Amino acid sequence: MASSIGNENSVNPVLRISQLDALELNKALEQLVWSQFTSCFHGFKPGVLAHFEPEVKAFLWLILWRFTVYSKNATVGQAILNIQYKNNLSQTENYQPLSKHQKLWYLIFTVGGRWLEERCYDLFSNCQLQSFCKIKSYINFGAGLLKFCGLLNFLIFLQKGTFATLTERILGIRSVFCKPQSVRQVGFEYMNRELLWHGFAEFLIYLLPLINIQKLKLKISSWCLPIAGLSNSEKTLTAHCKECSICGEWPTMPHTIGCSHVFCYYCIKSNYLFDMYFTCPKCGSEVRSLQPLKYKIEMTELHT
């Protein structure tokens, strides 16, 4: 249907951003298809697809090509953005669909090229023979040359706005709109939200180091979990405080700070060194004196 509509009207050039968006959508679809396919093999032995991964990927991309470019003259990303390929080798301005040769060569350059690159990497990665090393160097040189040509093509694309990929330029296939397009409206709501959140994150990064989180947490815990009604005698201290008021474990080398609570020596010492205004997280008392507990707390009291 898209082809019939395009035949009646002259073609409409596609914006650069729309062509790049279509390429990104194609990559996202391929990743989605591959992740869904590999999830079917989670119950199998690990690495069951490792030896045949290039062939499996090529088969999946072949299926995608069959139901997109071959049948509709457009990739999935292009179809979403109302774009399709036009045979730019034709002399007419009206829409001309791709020929079968162009579609087959598109398959060879895209699917076959990626399969060849992955398979050659697997074949020559473990080979140490001199002949294989020479072949590998030639293949690396060819791959680097293609990437350089792709870079040049991308720079030309940014200037002229046609042929986003090297394959499109070689085959003479051009992206055009299926229907006449109005001026693309660019919304800045997403950008505004991103700028707002980035500014808020930078503010927090600047503010958080200035806040004594440990003291604030202990203060809140003293409000939420108040303990009252304990006598100040050391016998009551040993009878009721069988855990450190900071770590909650059995107190190691128990010490007091002048209130009716017990602390591990290392817990209270480290917190006091970190904050000279440290207060008890249970009752909020300040550290008057750090004294060891005179009465021993026996481990057998846990079971009483």
mmCIF file of all heavy atoms in Angstrom, residues 163-204:
data_model
loop_
_atom_site.group_PDB
_atom_site.id
_atom_site.type_symbol
_atom_site.label_atom_id
_atom_site.label_comp_id
_atom_site.label_asym_id
_atom_site.label_seq_id
_atom_site.Cartn_x
_atom_site.Cartn_y
_atom_site.Cartn_z
ATOM 1 N N PHE A 163 21.846 9.075 1.942
ATOM 2 C CA PHE A 163 22.679 7.878 2.090
ATOM 3 C C PHE A 163 23.369 7.862 3.466
ATOM 4 O O PHE A 163 24.545 8.189 3.603
ATOM 5 C CB PHE A 163 23.732 7.780 0.980
ATOM 6 C CG PHE A 163 23.169 7.839 -0.402
ATOM 7 C CD1 PHE A 163 23.478 8.893 -1.252
ATOM 8 C CD2 PHE A 163 22.317 6.840 -0.850
ATOM 9 C CE1 PHE A 163 22.962 8.952 -2.524
ATOM 10 C CE2 PHE A 163 21.791 6.887 -2.136
ATOM 11 C CZ PHE A 163 22.106 7.948 -2.967
ATOM 12 N N ALA A 164 22.595 7.476 4.466
ATOM 13 C CA ALA A 164 23.111 7.470 5.838
ATOM 14 C C ALA A 164 24.166 6.398 6.057
ATOM 15 O O ALA A 164 25.011 6.543 6.936
ATOM 16 C CB ALA A 164 21.964 7.272 6.832
ATOM 17 N N THR A 165 24.132 5.314 5.294
ATOM 18 C CA THR A 165 25.110 4.241 5.442
ATOM 19 C C THR A 165 25.855 4.032 4.136
ATOM 20 O O THR A 165 25.404 4.445 3.061
ATOM 21 C CB THR A 165 24.428 2.924 5.860
ATOM 22 O OG1 THR A 165 23.520 2.508 4.825
ATOM 23 C CG2 THR A 165 23.664 3.097 7.166
ATOM 24 N N LEU A 166 27.006 3.388 4.239
ATOM 25 C CA LEU A 166 27.809 3.114 3.048
ATOM 26 C C LEU A 166 27.101 2.139 2.123
ATOM 27 O O LEU A 166 27.226 2.226 0.891
ATOM 28 C CB LEU A 166 29.171 2.562 3.475
ATOM 29 C CG LEU A 166 30.192 2.319 2.365
ATOM 30 C CD1 LEU A 166 30.539 3.618 1.661
ATOM 31 C CD2 LEU A 166 31.448 1.669 2.935
ATOM 32 N N THR A 167 26.353 1.204 2.679
ATOM 33 C CA THR A 167 25.597 0.247 1.860
ATOM 34 C C THR A 167 24.571 0.951 0.985
ATOM 35 O O THR A 167 24.410 0.620 -0.196
ATOM 36 C CB THR A 167 24.906 -0.775 2.767
ATOM 37 O OG1 THR A 167 25.885 -1.462 3.547
ATOM 38 C CG2 THR A 167 24.120 -1.790 1.952
ATOM 39 N N GLU A 168 23.875 1.930 1.545
ATOM 40 C CA GLU A 168 22.881 2.669 0.761
ATOM 41 C C GLU A 168 23.543 3.420 -0.397
ATOM 42 O O GLU A 168 23.007 3.468 -1.507
ATOM 43 C CB GLU A 168 22.141 3.647 1.674
ATOM 44 C CG GLU A 168 21.305 2.960 2.757
ATOM 45 C CD GLU A 168 20.645 3.972 3.670
ATOM 46 O OE1 GLU A 168 20.813 5.194 3.431
ATOM 47 O OE2 GLU A 168 19.972 3.542 4.632
ATOM 48 N N ARG A 169 24.712 3.985 -0.145
ATOM 49 C CA ARG A 169 25.387 4.746 -1.206
ATOM 50 C C ARG A 169 25.881 3.820 -2.313
ATOM 51 O O ARG A 169 25.796 4.154 -3.504
ATOM 52 C CB ARG A 169 26.548 5.542 -0.617
ATOM 53 C CG ARG A 169 27.225 6.468 -1.609
ATOM 54 C CD ARG A 169 28.254 7.337 -0.917
ATOM 55 N NE ARG A 169 27.635 8.200 0.070
ATOM 56 C CZ ARG A 169 27.086 9.388 -0.212
ATOM 57 N NH1 ARG A 169 27.093 9.824 -1.472
ATOM 58 N NH2 ARG A 169 26.559 10.122 0.733
ATOM 59 N N ILE A 170 26.425 2.652 -1.953
ATOM 60 C CA ILE A 170 26.943 1.726 -2.957
ATOM 61 C C ILE A 170 25.819 1.176 -3.824
ATOM 62 O O ILE A 170 25.938 1.090 -5.055
ATOM 63 C CB ILE A 170 27.721 0.592 -2.283
ATOM 64 C CG1 ILE A 170 28.988 1.143 -1.609
ATOM 65 C CG2 ILE A 170 28.085 -0.491 -3.280
ATOM 66 C CD1 ILE A 170 29.744 0.117 -0.807
ATOM 67 N N LEU A 171 24.696 0.813 -3.172
ATOM 68 C CA LEU A 171 23.586 0.205 -3.908
ATOM 69 C C LEU A 171 22.686 1.237 -4.566
ATOM 70 O O LEU A 171 21.834 0.869 -5.393
ATOM 71 C CB LEU A 171 22.759 -0.670 -2.970
ATOM 72 C CG LEU A 171 23.487 -1.863 -2.337
ATOM 73 C CD1 LEU A 171 22.546 -2.638 -1.428
ATOM 74 C CD2 LEU A 171 24.047 -2.777 -3.415
ATOM 75 N N GLY A 172 22.822 2.512 -4.225
ATOM 76 C CA GLY A 172 21.975 3.539 -4.825
ATOM 77 C C GLY A 172 20.553 3.482 -4.328
ATOM 78 O O GLY A 172 19.614 3.640 -5.111
ATOM 79 N N ILE A 173 20.365 3.238 -3.025
ATOM 80 C CA ILE A 173 19.022 3.219 -2.434
ATOM 81 C C ILE A 173 18.930 4.392 -1.475
ATOM 82 O O ILE A 173 19.828 4.655 -0.683
ATOM 83 C CB ILE A 173 18.725 1.882 -1.726
ATOM 84 C CG1 ILE A 173 19.786 1.580 -0.678
ATOM 85 C CG2 ILE A 173 18.638 0.752 -2.731
ATOM 86 C CD1 ILE A 173 19.546 0.288 0.081
ATOM 87 N N ARG A 174 17.839 5.094 -1.551
ATOM 88 C CA ARG A 174 17.675 6.351 -0.815
ATOM 89 C C ARG A 174 16.425 6.294 0.036
ATOM 90 O O ARG A 174 15.412 5.716 -0.361
ATOM 91 C CB ARG A 174 17.594 7.491 -1.833
ATOM 92 C CG ARG A 174 17.359 8.869 -1.244
ATOM 93 C CD ARG A 174 17.212 9.863 -2.379
ATOM 94 N NE ARG A 174 16.736 11.151 -1.903
ATOM 95 C CZ ARG A 174 16.333 12.130 -2.695
ATOM 96 N NH1 ARG A 174 16.332 11.947 -4.021
ATOM 97 N NH2 ARG A 174 15.914 13.277 -2.207
ATOM 98 N N SER A 175 16.495 6.912 1.202
ATOM 99 C CA SER A 175 15.349 6.957 2.109
ATOM 100 C C SER A 175 14.449 8.125 1.737
ATOM 101 O O SER A 175 14.914 9.263 1.593
ATOM 102 C CB SER A 175 15.817 7.109 3.556
ATOM 103 O OG SER A 175 16.599 6.008 3.956
ATOM 104 N N VAL A 176 13.160 7.831 1.576
ATOM 105 C CA VAL A 176 12.176 8.869 1.266
ATOM 106 C C VAL A 176 10.944 8.629 2.129
ATOM 107 O O VAL A 176 10.722 7.530 2.642
ATOM 108 C CB VAL A 176 11.777 8.854 -0.233
ATOM 109 C CG1 VAL A 176 12.956 9.209 -1.103
ATOM 110 C CG2 VAL A 176 11.188 7.492 -0.616
ATOM 111 N N PHE A 177 10.141 9.678 2.295
ATOM 112 C CA PHE A 177 8.903 9.545 3.041
ATOM 113 C C PHE A 177 7.845 8.849 2.182
ATOM 114 O O PHE A 177 7.739 9.096 0.970
ATOM 115 C CB PHE A 177 8.378 10.917 3.477
ATOM 116 C CG PHE A 177 9.080 11.474 4.677
ATOM 117 C CD1 PHE A 177 9.759 12.679 4.602
ATOM 118 C CD2 PHE A 177 9.059 10.796 5.881
ATOM 119 C CE1 PHE A 177 10.400 13.185 5.705
ATOM 120 C CE2 PHE A 177 9.706 11.302 6.985
ATOM 121 C CZ PHE A 177 10.380 12.487 6.904
ATOM 122 N N CYS A 178 7.056 8.006 2.815
ATOM 123 C CA CYS A 178 5.972 7.338 2.095
ATOM 124 C C CYS A 178 4.854 8.322 1.748
ATOM 125 O O CYS A 178 4.227 8.206 0.709
ATOM 126 C CB CYS A 178 5.394 6.200 2.935
ATOM 127 S SG CYS A 178 6.613 4.954 3.415
ATOM 128 N N LYS A 179 4.588 9.263 2.660
ATOM 129 C CA LYS A 179 3.543 10.252 2.469
ATOM 130 C C LYS A 179 4.137 11.638 2.674
ATOM 131 O O LYS A 179 5.167 11.780 3.338
ATOM 132 C CB LYS A 179 2.398 10.026 3.464
ATOM 133 C CG LYS A 179 1.728 8.667 3.314
ATOM 134 C CD LYS A 179 0.655 8.503 4.377
ATOM 135 C CE LYS A 179 0.004 7.131 4.260
ATOM 136 N NZ LYS A 179 -1.040 6.931 5.300
ATOM 137 N N PRO A 180 3.514 12.659 2.137
ATOM 138 C CA PRO A 180 4.019 14.026 2.372
ATOM 139 C C PRO A 180 4.059 14.335 3.853
ATOM 140 O O PRO A 180 3.112 14.056 4.598
ATOM 141 C CB PRO A 180 3.009 14.909 1.630
ATOM 142 C CG PRO A 180 2.397 14.006 0.612
ATOM 143 C CD PRO A 180 2.369 12.634 1.213
ATOM 144 N N GLN A 181 5.180 14.902 4.293
ATOM 145 C CA GLN A 181 5.384 15.181 5.696
ATOM 146 C C GLN A 181 5.287 16.682 5.958
ATOM 147 O O GLN A 181 5.740 17.500 5.153
ATOM 148 C CB GLN A 181 6.774 14.703 6.137
ATOM 149 C CG GLN A 181 6.941 13.192 6.105
ATOM 150 C CD GLN A 181 6.123 12.525 7.172
ATOM 151 O OE1 GLN A 181 5.146 11.852 6.864
ATOM 152 N NE2 GLN A 181 6.502 12.690 8.411
ATOM 153 N N SER A 182 4.696 16.998 7.074
ATOM 154 C CA SER A 182 4.709 18.386 7.528
ATOM 155 C C SER A 182 6.009 18.658 8.276
ATOM 156 O O SER A 182 6.818 17.754 8.497
ATOM 157 C CB SER A 182 3.508 18.646 8.448
ATOM 158 O OG SER A 182 3.566 17.769 9.570
ATOM 159 N N VAL A 183 6.205 19.896 8.653
ATOM 160 C CA VAL A 183 7.429 20.257 9.359
ATOM 161 C C VAL A 183 7.462 19.525 10.702
ATOM 162 O O VAL A 183 6.481 19.527 11.445
ATOM 163 C CB VAL A 183 7.506 21.785 9.563
ATOM 164 C CG1 VAL A 183 8.761 22.152 10.351
ATOM 165 C CG2 VAL A 183 7.494 22.481 8.213
ATOM 166 N N ARG A 184 8.586 18.909 10.987
ATOM 167 C CA ARG A 184 8.698 18.133 12.216
ATOM 168 C C ARG A 184 8.721 19.069 13.427
ATOM 169 O O ARG A 184 9.512 20.004 13.494
ATOM 170 C CB ARG A 184 9.986 17.302 12.189
ATOM 171 C CG ARG A 184 10.176 16.457 13.429
ATOM 172 C CD ARG A 184 11.294 15.480 13.229
ATOM 173 N NE ARG A 184 11.532 14.693 14.434
ATOM 174 C CZ ARG A 184 12.355 13.671 14.515
ATOM 175 N NH1 ARG A 184 13.027 13.284 13.443
ATOM 176 N NH2 ARG A 184 12.534 13.027 15.632
ATOM 177 N N GLN A 185 7.804 18.803 14.355
ATOM 178 C CA GLN A 185 7.724 19.596 15.566
ATOM 179 C C GLN A 185 8.651 18.993 16.617
ATOM 180 O O GLN A 185 8.522 17.828 16.970
ATOM 181 C CB GLN A 185 6.278 19.631 16.087
ATOM 182 C CG GLN A 185 5.279 20.220 15.110
ATOM 183 C CD GLN A 185 5.538 21.685 14.858
ATOM 184 O OE1 GLN A 185 6.064 22.390 15.723
ATOM 185 N NE2 GLN A 185 5.170 22.162 13.674
ATOM 186 N N VAL A 186 9.578 19.804 17.087
ATOM 187 C CA VAL A 186 10.541 19.359 18.080
ATOM 188 C C VAL A 186 10.076 19.817 19.453
ATOM 189 O O VAL A 186 9.890 21.012 19.689
ATOM 190 C CB VAL A 186 11.954 19.909 17.778
ATOM 191 C CG1 VAL A 186 12.952 19.431 18.819
ATOM 192 C CG2 VAL A 186 12.390 19.491 16.380
ATOM 193 N N GLY A 187 9.848 18.878 20.356
ATOM 194 C CA GLY A 187 9.448 19.202 21.716
ATOM 195 C C GLY A 187 10.642 19.208 22.654
ATOM 196 O O GLY A 187 11.549 18.384 22.528
ATOM 197 N N PHE A 188 10.620 20.142 23.586
ATOM 198 C CA PHE A 188 11.732 20.285 24.516
ATOM 199 C C PHE A 188 11.356 19.851 25.934
ATOM 200 O O PHE A 188 12.099 20.139 26.871
ATOM 201 C CB PHE A 188 12.201 21.746 24.540
ATOM 202 C CG PHE A 188 12.793 22.204 23.243
ATOM 203 C CD1 PHE A 188 12.019 22.876 22.307
ATOM 204 C CD2 PHE A 188 14.120 21.949 22.939
ATOM 205 C CE1 PHE A 188 12.557 23.300 21.107
ATOM 206 C CE2 PHE A 188 14.670 22.372 21.733
ATOM 207 C CZ PHE A 188 13.889 23.046 20.814
ATOM 208 N N GLU A 189 10.218 19.170 26.087
ATOM 209 C CA GLU A 189 9.827 18.749 27.428
ATOM 210 C C GLU A 189 10.818 17.754 28.006
ATOM 211 O O GLU A 189 11.204 17.840 29.187
ATOM 212 C CB GLU A 189 8.418 18.128 27.398
ATOM 213 C CG GLU A 189 7.300 19.103 27.074
ATOM 214 C CD GLU A 189 7.149 19.336 25.590
ATOM 215 O OE1 GLU A 189 7.906 18.699 24.824
ATOM 216 O OE2 GLU A 189 6.281 20.142 25.194
ATOM 217 N N TYR A 190 11.250 16.792 27.195
ATOM 218 C CA TYR A 190 12.194 15.789 27.682
ATOM 219 C C TYR A 190 13.524 16.444 28.065
ATOM 220 O O TYR A 190 14.112 16.131 29.107
ATOM 221 C CB TYR A 190 12.415 14.729 26.600
ATOM 222 C CG TYR A 190 13.458 13.706 26.955
ATOM 223 C CD1 TYR A 190 13.179 12.682 27.841
ATOM 224 C CD2 TYR A 190 14.740 13.772 26.411
ATOM 225 C CE1 TYR A 190 14.138 11.747 28.178
ATOM 226 C CE2 TYR A 190 15.706 12.847 26.740
ATOM 227 C CZ TYR A 190 15.390 11.825 27.621
ATOM 228 O OH TYR A 190 16.364 10.907 27.948
ATOM 229 N N MET A 191 13.989 17.384 27.231
ATOM 230 C CA MET A 191 15.248 18.062 27.532
ATOM 231 C C MET A 191 15.138 18.873 28.813
ATOM 232 O O MET A 191 16.068 18.913 29.634
ATOM 233 C CB MET A 191 15.639 18.966 26.361
ATOM 234 C CG MET A 191 17.001 19.635 26.520
ATOM 235 S SD MET A 191 17.416 20.676 25.111
ATOM 236 C CE MET A 191 17.439 19.440 23.798
ATOM 237 N N ASN A 192 13.987 19.515 29.014
ATOM 238 C CA ASN A 192 13.804 20.286 30.238
ATOM 239 C C ASN A 192 13.825 19.401 31.473
ATOM 240 O O ASN A 192 14.414 19.759 32.504
ATOM 241 C CB ASN A 192 12.485 21.062 30.169
ATOM 242 C CG ASN A 192 12.504 22.145 29.115
ATOM 243 O OD1 ASN A 192 13.567 22.636 28.744
ATOM 244 N ND2 ASN A 192 11.338 22.511 28.614
ATOM 245 N N ARG A 193 13.179 18.235 31.372
ATOM 246 C CA ARG A 193 13.205 17.307 32.510
ATOM 247 C C ARG A 193 14.613 16.825 32.795
ATOM 248 O O ARG A 193 15.053 16.732 33.956
ATOM 249 C CB ARG A 193 12.288 16.114 32.231
ATOM 250 C CG ARG A 193 10.815 16.447 32.273
ATOM 251 C CD ARG A 193 9.985 15.178 32.388
ATOM 252 N NE ARG A 193 10.212 14.278 31.267
ATOM 253 C CZ ARG A 193 9.489 14.286 30.159
ATOM 254 N NH1 ARG A 193 8.510 15.162 30.016
ATOM 255 N NH2 ARG A 193 9.731 13.431 29.190
ATOM 256 N N GLU A 194 15.381 16.512 31.742
ATOM 257 C CA GLU A 194 16.748 16.048 31.939
ATOM 258 C C GLU A 194 17.605 17.134 32.581
ATOM 259 O O GLU A 194 18.390 16.863 33.503
ATOM 260 C CB GLU A 194 17.349 15.625 30.595
ATOM 261 C CG GLU A 194 16.792 14.324 30.047
ATOM 262 C CD GLU A 194 17.133 13.154 30.950
ATOM 263 O OE1 GLU A 194 18.283 13.066 31.405
ATOM 264 O OE2 GLU A 194 16.236 12.340 31.212
ATOM 265 N N LEU A 195 17.475 18.375 32.123
ATOM 266 C CA LEU A 195 18.240 19.468 32.707
ATOM 267 C C LEU A 195 17.863 19.691 34.157
ATOM 268 O O LEU A 195 18.730 19.957 35.012
ATOM 269 C CB LEU A 195 18.014 20.752 31.902
ATOM 270 C CG LEU A 195 18.593 20.775 30.475
ATOM 271 C CD1 LEU A 195 18.179 22.059 29.765
ATOM 272 C CD2 LEU A 195 20.107 20.671 30.517
ATOM 273 N N LEU A 196 16.565 19.568 34.467
ATOM 274 C CA LEU A 196 16.118 19.747 35.844
ATOM 275 C C LEU A 196 16.695 18.679 36.757
ATOM 276 O O LEU A 196 17.221 18.981 37.840
ATOM 277 C CB LEU A 196 14.590 19.727 35.888
ATOM 278 C CG LEU A 196 13.960 19.841 37.288
ATOM 279 C CD1 LEU A 196 14.319 21.184 37.908
ATOM 280 C CD2 LEU A 196 12.451 19.682 37.202
ATOM 281 N N TRP A 197 16.639 17.421 36.325
ATOM 282 C CA TRP A 197 17.140 16.344 37.163
ATOM 283 C C TRP A 197 18.653 16.389 37.291
ATOM 284 O O TRP A 197 19.207 16.079 38.346
ATOM 285 C CB TRP A 197 16.691 14.991 36.601
ATOM 286 C CG TRP A 197 15.280 14.673 36.945
ATOM 287 C CD1 TRP A 197 14.216 14.614 36.088
ATOM 288 C CD2 TRP A 197 14.749 14.382 38.243
ATOM 289 N NE1 TRP A 197 13.070 14.307 36.757
ATOM 290 C CE2 TRP A 197 13.367 14.156 38.085
ATOM 291 C CE3 TRP A 197 15.310 14.304 39.515
ATOM 292 C CZ2 TRP A 197 12.537 13.852 39.163
ATOM 293 C CZ3 TRP A 197 14.477 13.988 40.589
ATOM 294 C CH2 TRP A 197 13.115 13.772 40.412
ATOM 295 N N HIS A 198 19.360 16.773 36.218
ATOM 296 C CA HIS A 198 20.811 16.902 36.312
ATOM 297 C C HIS A 198 21.196 18.017 37.287
ATOM 298 O O HIS A 198 22.137 17.875 38.076
ATOM 299 C CB HIS A 198 21.405 17.176 34.929
ATOM 300 C CG HIS A 198 21.550 15.951 34.086
ATOM 301 N ND1 HIS A 198 22.391 14.907 34.431
ATOM 302 C CD2 HIS A 198 20.971 15.582 32.914
ATOM 303 C CE1 HIS A 198 22.320 13.963 33.510
ATOM 304 N NE2 HIS A 198 21.457 14.339 32.584
ATOM 305 N N GLY A 199 20.468 19.124 37.237
ATOM 306 C CA GLY A 199 20.739 20.200 38.180
ATOM 307 C C GLY A 199 20.460 19.790 39.614
ATOM 308 O O GLY A 199 21.225 20.117 40.533
ATOM 309 N N PHE A 200 19.376 19.048 39.815
ATOM 310 C CA PHE A 200 19.051 18.565 41.158
ATOM 311 C C PHE A 200 20.093 17.580 41.664
ATOM 312 O O PHE A 200 20.483 17.615 42.841
ATOM 313 C CB PHE A 200 17.666 17.902 41.135
ATOM 314 C CG PHE A 200 17.204 17.410 42.481
ATOM 315 C CD1 PHE A 200 16.900 18.298 43.492
ATOM 316 C CD2 PHE A 200 17.087 16.049 42.719
ATOM 317 C CE1 PHE A 200 16.475 17.840 44.727
ATOM 318 C CE2 PHE A 200 16.676 15.582 43.948
ATOM 319 C CZ PHE A 200 16.362 16.486 44.955
ATOM 320 N N ALA A 201 20.585 16.710 40.766
ATOM 321 C CA ALA A 201 21.618 15.747 41.160
ATOM 322 C C ALA A 201 22.921 16.454 41.525
ATOM 323 O O ALA A 201 23.589 16.103 42.511
ATOM 324 C CB ALA A 201 21.853 14.741 40.030
ATOM 325 N N GLU A 202 23.304 17.465 40.765
ATOM 326 C CA GLU A 202 24.515 18.220 41.092
ATOM 327 C C GLU A 202 24.368 18.957 42.422
ATOM 328 O O GLU A 202 25.324 19.061 43.198
ATOM 329 C CB GLU A 202 24.828 19.201 39.968
ATOM 330 C CG GLU A 202 25.263 18.526 38.672
ATOM 331 C CD GLU A 202 25.532 19.530 37.573
ATOM 332 O OE1 GLU A 202 25.335 20.746 37.841
ATOM 333 O OE2 GLU A 202 25.937 19.109 36.477
ATOM 334 N N PHE A 203 23.167 19.456 42.693
ATOM 335 C CA PHE A 203 22.934 20.110 43.979
ATOM 336 C C PHE A 203 23.082 19.129 45.137
ATOM 337 O O PHE A 203 23.674 19.461 46.177
ATOM 338 C CB PHE A 203 21.537 20.740 43.984
ATOM 339 C CG PHE A 203 21.145 21.333 45.308
ATOM 340 C CD1 PHE A 203 21.722 22.511 45.747
ATOM 341 C CD2 PHE A 203 20.202 20.702 46.110
ATOM 342 C CE1 PHE A 203 21.359 23.057 46.970
ATOM 343 C CE2 PHE A 203 19.842 21.237 47.321
ATOM 344 C CZ PHE A 203 20.420 22.430 47.763
ATOM 345 N N LEU A 204 22.557 17.911 44.974
ATOM 346 C CA LEU A 204 22.700 16.907 46.019
ATOM 347 C C LEU A 204 24.150 16.497 46.202
ATOM 348 O O LEU A 204 24.609 16.281 47.336
ATOM 349 C CB LEU A 204 21.844 15.677 45.685
ATOM 350 C CG LEU A 204 20.327 15.850 45.795
ATOM 351 C CD1 LEU A 204 19.633 14.544 45.440
ATOM 352 C CD2 LEU A 204 19.939 16.287 47.197
#
